[in-house]
Amino acid sequence: MDFKEAPYTRPDFDQIKTSLATYTTALKGADDPDTALAAATAANQLINDYTSQAMLAQIRHSIDTNDEFYNKEDDYWNTNGPLYENEERKYKAAVVASPYQEVLGQIYPKPDIMSMQNDLKMANEAIIPLQQKNNALVSEYAKLVASAQIDFQGETLTLAQLGPYRESADRATRKAATEAYWGFFADHEADFDRIYDDMVKVRTEIAHTLGYPDYSALSYVYMNRFGYDEPMVAQYRKTVLEKVVPLTQKQYTKQAKRLGLAKLAYYDLPVAFKSGNAKPTGTPDELVATAQQMYNDLSPETGDLFALMVKNHLFDLLAKKGKQSGGYCEYIPSLQAPFIFANFNGTSGDVDVLTHEFGHAFQTYSSRWIKDGLSTFPTFEAAEIFSMSMEFITYPWMKGFFGAAEEKYKYNHLEAALEFLPYGILVDHFQHEIYTHPEWTPAERKACWRDLEKQYNPERDYSENEALERGIYFFRQGHIFESPFYYLDYTIAQVLAYQFWKRFNVDHDPQAWTDYTTMAKAGGSQTLMELIQTGHLASPFEPGALDDTLTAISQALDGVDDQALDK
Ligand code: ZN
């Protein structure tokens, strides 16, 4: 299970293709359940094995992009991954069509079969050129954003490098940095408009070719949204608008007071505290030791897994030269173990890695009994419940990381999660409107964004910025361009994680940990709606479902003297 020791060999594609074809033929020709199960078992083992090799190559490449060997292997997988997928698709078609579903269920849980069916719905040669066009537009968007070279206070900065200045405690600095940031998007407004216009058109064509009325309807298929539909999501959006927005507005009023302002300008919004955000105390090694102690205290299962991951080099946490940015948790089927990647930088984000990503790790490790290694993770919105909940479950141990700034961290974390919800819903609502009105002009799209923004984020006052008032804010939201409809998932996971926040931190519900671990163990063997039932959670799609939680959050935030925290 040691990540450092795990051997990597590039698979022989021709051999894999032949073996997989043999198993596919055997499955198709099976006359009894035992023969079908034997063929599927062999195929699943093969897929687990080469997928694990692909993961090892990609992870090792992400840790050191200057390593020549894994650089080449990463290129190999980027180029050849689709060939493997193509062979897998033929096999999956045989799995879905097999009359022996019951016995195949031993390898492929029901949501897995449903995802395969969705994959097959998307497998249509007629859309390949359209997808290629879409991919080219995605690359063009990414390049345009990455091309930003902004002159600011004598330096030339990227959009990301402007970040710290946009959060500066000095108001004039953050105003200037924010204007420079949006200046880039305003200068390239025609390009962003054209790219998005082309994207909406090509995606609409994809939906029509596959027989769907619009791309919004198709998103329920390719995002594997099982057991809920657009009317239910519309109801949920309405709940957030009516119940959450009033609470966030109260928080923005408190924030203005903390910053000593009569009213927040749009460039004040990222600054939660005059005195800056809470920072963890201690070296990275000390943070890891604190996390180990925390997980020992939480439960034997979490303590054991954390120790096992440390022992087997399943963490790579420090930022270093040549390492890719960001953070993630991956589950490697051949090791039957999760791997956590991060770039510690001394901010509270380091602690979020040790809680959020470890939540993913704990969930996948708990469901390692699932034979299809790629189904240990449930669908995306469900997967994030475990990580986001772990951020809340570990609240009682935050003193170990933040010392005196413990309360400040928790307050800000709870507030930020609440403030994320309306924005996340805005992103979803906007895209729904866009793809159900594909004929709109760029000006009409921007007007729609601004109109929805006024509803979900009324705190945004653009009287000092004409371009934002025109509706260009969404240009910066990469998901809208690169992974359409990928945002709703975060909000669903967030409201469910909030229920665990309340059960652990307010109600001290003795059943909460059992429910969390039972859900984690079920993992990808259950759909979102089934997991909600397993965990005794309330469905966010039911009217009034958020009421209890929101009342508790509101009381918790009101119960803190936030002015006193800002010292
Ligand atoms: Zn996550």
Side-chain angles (χ1 to χ4, degrees), residues 134-192:
N134 178 66
N135 293 347
L137 289 164
V138 168
S139 301
E140 197 185 349
Y141 170 79
K143 259 191 213 141
L144 179 56
V145 171
S147 75
Q149 295 282 319
I150 297 151
D151 291 325
F152 185 72
Q153 297 188 346
E155 288 182 282
T156 305
L157 303 175
T158 64
L159 291 169
Q161 286 169 331
L162 267 176
Y165 297 100
R166 292 174 57 208
E167 291 175 26
S168 170
D170 177 55
R171 199 171 192 219
T173 302
R174 67 176 179 259
K175 178 172 194 253
T178 307
E179 282 169 353
Y181 180 91
W182 290 111
F184 171 78
F185 290 96
D187 288 347
H188 296 83
E189 189 169 347
D191 290 322
F192 284 109

Side-chain angles (χ1 to χ4, degrees), residues 329 356-357 360 380 383-384 387-388 391 490:
C329 171
H356 182 101
E357 301 302 344
H360 285 306
F380 187 74
E384 291 302 321
S387 49
M388 289 175 159
E391 295 179 34
Y490 293 115

Side-chain angles (χ1 to χ4, degrees), residues 361 476 565:
R476 74 159 297 273
L565 289 179

Side-chain angles (χ1 to χ4, degrees), residues 361-430:
F362 180 72
Q363 183 269 303
T364 53
Y365 189 69
S366 303
S367 54
R368 68 190 183 285
W369 61 271
I370 298 174
K371 292 197 174 100
D372 175 4
L374 299 179
S375 289
T376 49
F377 275 111
T379 47
F380 187 74
E381 77 298 54
E384 291 302 321
I385 300 170
F386 300 96
S387 49
M388 289 175 159
S389 297
M390 192 62 99
E391 295 179 34
F392 292 128
I393 293 170
T394 52
Y395 265 18
W397 289 271
M398 286 302 117
K399 196 173 182 58
F401 294 105
F402 293 98
E406 175 201 8
E407 290 302 329
K408 189 183 194 181
Y409 170 79
K410 288 196 287 191
Y411 182 86
N412 189 212
H413 187 266
L414 197 63
E415 177 184 64
L418 188 69
E419 290 174 356
F420 167 71
L421 282 177
Y423 178 69
I425 290 295
L426 158 65
V427 170
D428 187 67
H429 195 159
F430 172 68

Side-chain angles (χ1 to χ4, degrees), residues 248-325:
T248 60
Q249 297 317 296
K250 206 161 92 182
Q251 289 306 115
Y252 290 116
T253 306
K254 293 187 206 172
Q255 184 187 346
K257 205 171 157 209
R258 293 200 294 269
L259 298 182
L261 300 167
K263 188 175 185 304
L264 295 172
Y266 72 100
Y267 44 82
D268 297 319
L269 291 167
V271 186
F273 293 102
K274 218 170 36 222
S275 54
N277 287 339
K279 282 197 181 78
T281 54
T283 63
D285 283 345
E286 285 164 347
L287 294 185
V288 170
T290 305
Q292 175 72 67
Q293 190 55 53
M294 167 174 86
Y295 287 121
N296 290 346
D297 289 351
L298 177 60
S299 78
E301 304 99 291
T302 47
D304 289 351
L305 176 61
F306 199 89
L308 178 142
M309 289 182 68
V310 171
K311 180 167 164 278
N312 290 293
H313 307 100
L314 293 161
F315 286 108
D316 198 287
L317 301 175
L318 301 186
K320 53 198 163 208
K321 207 168 155 249
K323 191 171 172 176
Q324 278 179 3
S325 58

